[in-house]
Amino acid sequence: MSLAVEAVSLTKQFGQITALHGITFSIKPGEIFGLIGPNGAGKTTTIRMVCTIIKPTSGSIRIFGYDSDRQAEKARQILTYLPEESGAYPNLTGWEYLNFMAKLQAQPGTDIKAVVAEAAEICGLGDRLKDKAKTYSKGMKRRLLVARALMTRPKLAVLDEPASGLDVMHAYHIRETVKRYAREHGVTILLSSHNMLEVEYLCDRVALINKGQLVMEGTPKELKTKYNSENLEEVFAKVVGYA
Ligand code: ATP
């Protein structure tokens, strides 16, 4: 079976800025894979390349065997992307938004009603789905958007900081949803996060990017053992040089 993501020697140059210096990693089907690293390390750049939004300067990415450059259309059909800064259309109700996005995202022949019903269950917003998105709190909006990213059961869902800045209740809901969804439906998840508790709880494997380089990779347990640390935060601090 092909890997879910196979990124080889990725570099990215933005003018004078080298955002990535040649990173290589792979994600197995069904895995929850976490990208961690300090601000500006290159996580979003990596994620945007996996989602075929930007092209690497050099190197290659395969998504379930599809080349992200030559077969970008094919890759886009099997992945969904939740950007870090993302919003729902403010004047659409939650239902209208999910219905609109389901029609855009779903493959021809898909039962749209069933997809929207699934999204409603995932987000758990109940009656509030009848209200316009502009009346939602930040946490409610994010739950709607996470549901949008998962509702079509993509082969790969890419979530850039899915629960960042949310209160405990909303963040908890999102984490539980992502974990359950990946397990029950075999959806492969690539996510980035600054919350080490979240990463340790959710991720099967983790890669740390620092200054555009991939400096460590492994299961949370392997990394804690290797760096003789009690938790991932301590590992992070040791590897990045804060500790
Ligand atoms: P954060 O945790 O703060 O979101 P990040 O790890 O996601 O950071 P990136 O957003 O990937 O980091 O940025 C990596 C580097 O590339 C930074 O130096 C950033 O300024 C630069 N960069 C990213 N996008 C662009 C762009 N479109 N043009 C110029 N420089 C960019």
Side-chain angles (χ1 to χ4, degrees):
M1 193 197 287
S2 53
L3 288 163
V5 177
E6 192 176 13
V8 181
S9 305
L10 293 181
T11 71
K12 184 65 188 177
Q13 201 73 34
F14 292 110
Q16 298 295 310
I17 299 169
T18 305
L20 292 176
H21 291 272
I23 67 167
T24 295
F25 65 94
S26 59
I27 307 176
K28 294 178 204 128
E31 254 185 344
I32 304 181
F33 189 89
L35 279 183
I36 59 175
N39 289 130
K43 302 178 297 296
T44 297
T45 302
T46 304
I47 278 176
R48 296 180 79 210
M49 293 198 297
V50 169
C51 294
T52 76
I53 289 166
I54 56 172
K55 290 184 183 187
T57 304
S58 65
S60 67
I61 307 175
R62 285 191 171 272
I63 297 128
F64 284 93
Y66 294 125
D67 184 277
S68 70
D69 186 19
R70 286 180 292 105
Q71 297 171 295
E73 275 306 315
K74 290 274 187 199
R76 284 177 202 142
Q77 283 169 14
I78 58 170
L79 69 80
T80 57
Y81 172 43
L82 175 64
E84 183 184 354
E85 305 284 338
S86 180
Y89 300 108
N91 283 316
L92 293 187
T93 66
W95 282 118
E96 286 165 347
Y97 171 76
L98 292 172
N99 197 52
F100 176 70
M101 295 307 288
K103 284 180 186 159
L104 270 186
Q105 270 179 216
Q107 296 301 311
T110 307
D111 180 350
I112 298 294
K113 267 191 180 166
V115 169
V116 174
E118 176 138 333
E121 201 190 316
I122 296 170
C123 69
L125 293 177
D127 269 356
R128 291 302 309 271
L129 283 172
K130 291 181 193 152
D131 298 331
K132 291 187 176 182
K134 67 183 173 192
T135 69
Y136 291 3
S137 70
K138 187 174 171 183
M140 291 167 68
K141 266 185 218 153
R142 205 65 183 158
R143 280 165 62 166
L144 187 73
L145 295 169
V146 167
R148 189 276 297 160
L150 297 177
M151 67 185 175
T152 48
R153 300 187 186 176
K155 290 185 86 161
L156 173 68
V158 182
L159 312 173
D160 201 348
E161 301 195 28
S164 160
L166 305 191
D167 70 19
V168 173
M169 181 187 74
H170 290 300
Y172 179 82
H173 182 277
I174 285 177
R175 278 177 212 133
E176 292 303 311
T177 301
V178 168
K179 190 153 190 160
R180 183 168 48 81
Y181 218 76
R183 297 291 175 255
E184 285 177 9
H185 303 297
V187 175
T188 306
I189 308 273
L190 165 61
L191 61 86
S192 77
S193 177
H194 288 291
N195 183 335
M196 294 304 108
L197 199 76
E198 171 173 295
V199 170
E200 199 166 338
Y201 172 69
L202 270 182
C203 297
D204 301 308
R205 282 192 308 127
V206 179
L208 192 152
I209 301 181
N210 191 26
K211 297 178 185 162
Q213 286 174 334
L214 200 151
V215 290
M216 67 167 207
E217 190 185 345
T219 67
K221 195 172 168 207
E222 284 167 357
L223 298 176
K224 284 188 287 183
T225 305
K226 183 172 176 191
Y227 292 94
N228 192 24
S229 301
E230 292 202 356
N231 52 52
L232 266 191
E233 197 159 72
E234 203 180 318
V235 174
F236 186 110
K238 284 180 180 169
V239 174
V240 175
Y242 303 149

